[in-house]
Amino acid sequence: MIEIVERLCARLPLTPLAAGMLSAAHLGIARDSRSFARLFGLAHALVLREVTLLSDEGVLIEVEDRGERSQRLFYRLTPRAEALLAEGA
């Protein structure tokens, strides 16, 4: 996963956190903000902010669902993100 993150960061103007989220979704490790934060020991608020930034542009992540009480965001990769990750970034 680290190699994917490094390749994404070299190719696109992404933070390591954003690249990590894309990589984790691509590999099926985490596809929601709360799971990603818990697995990688991050504050959920940081992950929520990154999902919001990535989904606002609508280029790499699309939010599928929102947990009302937990504030968890479930997301999926856009076709463009899938293509980038399939190319090996």
Side-chain angles (χ1 to χ4, degrees):
M1 185 169 145
I2 293 172
E3 292 173 354
I4 296 171
V5 169
E6 289 172 348
R7 282 189 231 130
L8 281 172
C9 286
R11 186 165 180 191
L12 300 170
L14 295 174
T15 65
L17 177 55
M21 291 172 53
L22 295 172
S23 301
H26 176 69
L27 297 171
I29 296 169
R31 293 194 174 136
D32 71 84
S33 59
R34 177 89 50 201
S35 296
F36 184 86
R38 187 176 36 240
L39 285 170
F40 293 97
L42 300 167
H44 187 227
L46 293 174
V47 178
L48 285 173
R49 183 173 59 192
E50 204 69 35
V51 170
T52 301
L53 291 172
L54 290 170
S55 66
D56 280 348
E57 297 167 10
V59 176
L60 300 173
I61 284 181
E62 294 177 354
V63 174
E64 293 184 305
D65 197 14
R66 298 171 191 270
E68 286 296 319
R69 289 182 15 184
S70 68
Q71 296 182 349
R72 181 181 296 207
L73 296 178
F74 294 87
Y75 52 86
R76 66 183 174 93
L77 300 175
T78 64
R80 178 175 184 238
E82 288 287 0
L84 285 168
L85 288 157
E87 293 172 4

